[in-house]
Amino acid sequence: MPIATKSDKIDLSSENKTEELAKKFLIKLKPGSIIFLYGEMGVGKTTFVKYLVNAYQKKYNLKQTEVTSPTFNLLNEYQIKQFKINHYDLFRLKSSNELRNLGLFEDNLNTITLIEWPQIIKEKPENLIELTLLYEDNHKNRSAQIKGLDL
């Protein structure tokens, strides 16, 4: 039975719950998956990515690396055995024209693509998973909503 439908909210009131959510994504994702991460600054988008990347590294007995936001360089890549994880942060981009040279959705058969601040992307790819992280109760708690994936 799925834990989330399109309208359900998942409680992320602790970092442990964010880590649990990332581990559930790990079970469902495969190369070619594309995830758009929505949410205000500081709500936990990069924290989610960190737990997801580190869970893959642990699964494949790889050294766990530090996962940081690619705000300034736009892309961090993580090689996971036969596939890689591309983690984009589009916060600094001002127009969709700036996306042309990034190759966001090119050659992604062996890639899991994670994109923070995807609002600038005009055409959504097929098989898109959208993860929205939200503040609740005046920033005291957090939650998540998932579209395009049943956990």
Side-chain angles (χ1 to χ4, degrees):
M1 180 167 123
I3 66 161
T5 62
K6 291 182 181 179
S7 61
D8 288 340
K9 286 186 183 179
I10 300 166
D11 175 36
L12 295 181
S13 58
S14 72
E15 211 168 303
N16 287 342
K17 291 187 179 195
T18 302
E19 184 176 13
E20 289 172 17
L21 179 63
K23 287 177 181 177
K24 289 177 181 176
F25 265 73
L26 173 125
I27 295 166
K28 296 286 190 166
L29 296 180
K30 60 187 182 301
S33 296
I34 299 169
I35 303 173
F36 283 6
L37 295 127
Y38 297 96
E40 294 179 52
M41 190 156 313
V43 76
K45 296 179 297 293
T46 302
T47 300
F48 171 82
V49 172
K50 172 185 83 168
Y51 285 123
L52 183 63
V53 168
N54 287 163
Y56 271 110
Q57 291 169 332
K58 185 175 181 179
K59 177 180 178 179
Y60 290 101
N61 297 313
L62 301 170
K63 180 183 175 193
Q64 290 191 6
T65 58
E66 182 178 359
V67 175
T68 60
S69 175
T71 301
F72 296 104
N73 55 343
L74 300 178
L75 168 65
N76 288 339
E77 294 181 332
Y78 305 92
Q79 190 65 45
I80 311 290
K81 295 287 185 181
Q82 309 87 347
F83 68 96
K84 67 180 174 177
I85 297 175
N86 283 345
H87 176 205
Y88 293 92
D89 185 326
L90 306 181
F91 181 76
R92 293 186 310 116
L93 300 185
K94 302 296 179 222
S95 78
S96 59
N97 291 334
E98 295 178 86
L99 297 173
R100 279 193 207 127
N101 296 328
L102 291 180
L104 291 173
F105 310 120
E106 295 172 10
D107 191 31
N108 71 341
L109 293 177
N110 294 314
T111 305
I112 293 174
T113 304
L114 309 168
I115 303 174
E116 294 187 46
W117 303 100
Q119 293 86 335
I120 198 167
I121 299 171
K122 291 182 179 176
E123 290 186 38
K124 292 183 180 181
E126 291 183 28
N127 302 318
L128 175 65
I129 300 163
E130 295 176 286
L131 176 62
T132 303
L133 302 174
L134 305 159
Y135 282 116
E136 303 281 341
D137 307 320
N138 293 324
H139 291 77
K140 292 178 184 171
N141 292 307
R142 297 173 186 176
S143 66
Q145 291 181 306
I146 304 167
K147 182 178 177 185
L149 180 72
D150 288 328
L151 296 181

